[in-house]
Amino acid sequence: MMKFRRFIVLAAALPLFAMTSPGMAEQGQVDPGQVSEGLKAIFSYGSATSKTKNRLNANITTVITGTIGGTYVQFGADLASVLDDGDQLRVLPIVGRGSVQSIADILFLKGVDLGIIRADTLDYLEKKDYASNIKHQFAYITKLYNEEMHVVAPKTIQKMSDLEGKTVSVDLPNGGTFVTAITVFERLGIKANFVFIEQRIAYEKLRKGEIDALVAVQGAPSKLITQIKDDGLHFVPIDYAAPLQVDYLPSQLKSEDYPALIPAGERVDTIAVPAILAAYNWAPGTDRYRTVEHFVQAFFEKFKEFQQPPFHPKWKEVVLSAPLKGWTRFPAAQAWLDQHSKQALQETQSKFNLFLATRASQTAKTSSATPEQNALLFQQFLQWQQETAAAKSAAKDAAPTRKRQDQ
């Protein structure tokens, strides 16, 4: 009887299955099999195993990111969303365990091509004698953005020194938050009792009063921190003291990003550390080098798309050409920047020549400037452009500092 019922169900389902593709076509819908090579590959697996495997593994780039809820994971998802284009390039983000583990994964884990790591982590590993000359084994694709240090505690904790002797969660010991947190506390001379607890669990312990503070070093707005809604908690401000100025940058947490923790219109001082998209320093001409090179070309060409909604707002802080002190850029990335910098200079020169021609016709002078004079004027024009851009950048960076001095 059971077999008979199964036969009836199957017989009833067959016409529906058979009409799926033609029926959908008649109704103006799209058959997924017509647009998805991956879908067709799945159902042809048995008859073309080797061919399918080779095709699906070609042009794959893997990126080790960070823990669930962090900014690294969101950046990895954005990379896959923008750069995946079928058989030409497919980006596979991997959920990681944090900056320290990602460094080990890039160095030793088979199949990991790229990773997002924190700038101070390699320095920490070398200074603590965990590794020697490790920085030269890496090459950076680009500096990504600055990650802010969030210190969440009860409102009875008004300043960092109040955490002396307190229990502070600094995330798991294979991430990057604990590196930054321990470094900052050491340089400020604050001796706390550090515990290594996954961030979501740490928040529950903080809410119950089992720990005194939670530290998260993530790009604002941090998905984890935005979920904290407790009237008894707030951000502990971090002054940009002299011991922090060598490796860290001044920053602020905004009420627009954390309305539940910061009153409207107010900001909280903190420090920030750069996040980096890095790769192993593969020798040019190797297969692994070509894999990263292929990714770099696609990433740089489509970079402007990342700075538009709906992608993470931190992409707007990324400047591909920004230098990173003490680091070597991946050769293919530097070559791309050099080429496009030269093209940009040529375009600027063309615009300048057009400006000179227009200016000469408007002034109706009988004699024009010599080529040498025009070349000198062009160099002055370029210098003015650089100085203007530098002045704007300096004013932006100095704004938080001026505000603190005024207070």
Side-chain angles (χ1 to χ4, degrees):
M1 184 66 178
M2 182 62 69
K3 291 182 179 180
F4 180 70
R5 286 180 179 175
R6 288 179 180 174
F7 176 78
I8 294 176
V9 172
L10 180 60
L14 282 175
L16 178 61
F17 179 80
M19 68 172 288
T20 299
S21 181
M24 290 174 65
E26 291 175 2
Q27 298 173 25
Q29 299 182 24
V30 178
D31 177 6
Q34 299 300 316
V35 296
S36 173
E37 292 296 325
L39 182 63
K40 284 188 277 188
I42 291 170
F43 290 101
S44 65
Y45 178 79
S47 60
T49 302
S50 179
K51 181 180 179 181
T52 299
K53 181 172 68 174
N54 292 337
R55 184 172 57 79
L56 290 180
N57 280 278
N59 300 321
I60 294 290
T61 302
T62 56
V63 182
I64 193 80
T65 60
T67 55
I68 293 294
T71 312
Y72 292 0
V73 166
Q74 296 175 66
F75 262 56
D78 290 346
L79 287 169
S81 178
V82 173
L83 300 183
D84 278 13
D85 62 355
D87 288 344
Q88 298 304 310
L89 176 64
R90 184 182 176 198
V91 178
L92 295 181
I94 305 172
V95 176
R97 294 182 178 176
S99 186
V100 173
Q101 184 65 54
S102 292
I103 288 171
D105 290 342
I106 295 172
L107 286 175
F108 305 120
L109 199 61
K110 292 181 179 179
V112 173
D113 299 305
L114 301 161
I116 302 176
I117 61 177
R118 197 165 290 151
D120 61 350
T121 306
L122 293 181
D123 291 328
Y124 175 86
L125 294 174
E126 290 188 349
K127 289 176 182 178
K128 296 293 183 179
D129 292 327
Y130 292 124
S132 177
N133 203 30
I134 192 172
K135 189 176 291 185
H136 294 285
Q137 298 183 61
F138 285 82
Y140 79 105
I141 307 301
T142 186
K143 172 183 175 294
L144 289 175
Y145 56 89
N146 295 326
E147 295 192 273
E148 289 79 12
M149 183 169 173
H150 305 71
V151 181
V152 183
K155 292 181 179 178
T156 53
I157 306 293
Q158 289 293 307
K159 53 187 183 298
M160 288 291 289
S161 59
D162 291 341
L163 291 172
E164 178 77 26
K166 303 293 185 181
T167 302
V168 179
S169 174
V170 292
D171 203 2
L172 298 175
N174 45 15
T177 285
F178 93 93
V179 170
T180 303
I182 290 176
T183 301
V184 169
F185 274 76
E186 283 181 352
R187 293 188 185 181
L188 295 178
I190 301 170
K191 296 181 180 180
N193 174 32
F194 296 117
V195 292
F196 302 95
I197 306 172
E198 196 269 327
Q199 299 285 36
R200 294 170 296 178
I201 299 174
Y203 168 53
E204 288 301 315
K205 290 183 175 293
L206 177 63
R207 190 174 58 84
K208 295 176 182 178
E210 297 176 10
I211 61 175
D212 300 298
L214 176 158
V215 177
V217 183
Q218 298 178 348
S222 161
K223 185 176 181 180
L224 168 75
I225 304 299
T226 56
Q227 296 171 352
I228 296 179
K229 304 184 188 303
D230 190 318
D231 293 339
L233 301 176
H234 75 145
F235 287 121
V236 180
I238 305 174
D239 293 329
Y240 193 50
L244 304 179
Q245 294 175 11
V246 176
D247 297 309
Y248 300 102
L249 302 169
S251 189
Q252 290 186 325
L253 303 174
K254 305 173 185 178
S255 59
E256 305 93 273
D257 293 330
Y258 304 107
L261 293 169
I262 305 176
E266 295 186 14
R267 298 188 178 191
V268 177
D269 289 334
T270 188
I271 55 100
V273 58
I276 305 165
L277 181 61
Y280 184 77
N281 197 9
W282 297 106
T286 61
D287 289 341
R288 300 299 294 275
Y289 180 93
R290 283 191 286 268
T291 295
V292 178
E293 180 181 30
H294 183 51
F295 169 88
V296 166
Q297 292 172 348
F299 173 49
F300 281 17
E301 291 289 346
K302 296 184 177 181
F303 174 69
K304 290 183 179 180
E305 295 183 33
F306 292 98
Q307 297 185 317
Q308 305 297 323
F311 303 110
H312 197 286
K314 276 290 184 179
W315 281 110
K316 295 180 181 179
E317 296 183 14
V318 181
V319 178
L320 292 179
S321 60
L324 195 61
K325 184 179 179 181
W327 285 74
T328 301
R329 198 186 292 270
F330 195 77
Q334 189 61 57
W336 191 97
L337 292 171
D338 291 343
Q339 178 186 356
H340 287 75
S341 175
K342 183 177 180 180
Q343 291 176 354
L345 182 62
Q346 291 173 342
E347 292 175 2
T348 302
Q349 177 74 66
S350 298
K351 292 178 181 178
F352 182 73
N353 291 340
L354 179 61
F355 162 74
L356 289 178
T358 304
R359 180 171 174 267
S361 63
Q362 290 176 345
T363 54
K365 291 184 177 180
T366 55
S367 61
S368 60
T370 64
E372 292 77 10
Q373 290 172 327
N374 284 341
L376 177 60
L377 188 58
F378 180 62
Q379 292 303 318
Q380 292 173 345
F381 169 71
L382 292 177
Q383 183 178 357
W384 172 82
Q385 277 191 322
Q386 293 175 350
E387 290 174 351
T388 301
K392 290 181 179 179
S393 177
K396 181 179 179 181
D397 293 340
T401 305
R402 287 200 301 270
K403 182 175 181 180
R404 283 194 291 275
Q405 291 173 346
D406 292 342
Q407 292 174 342

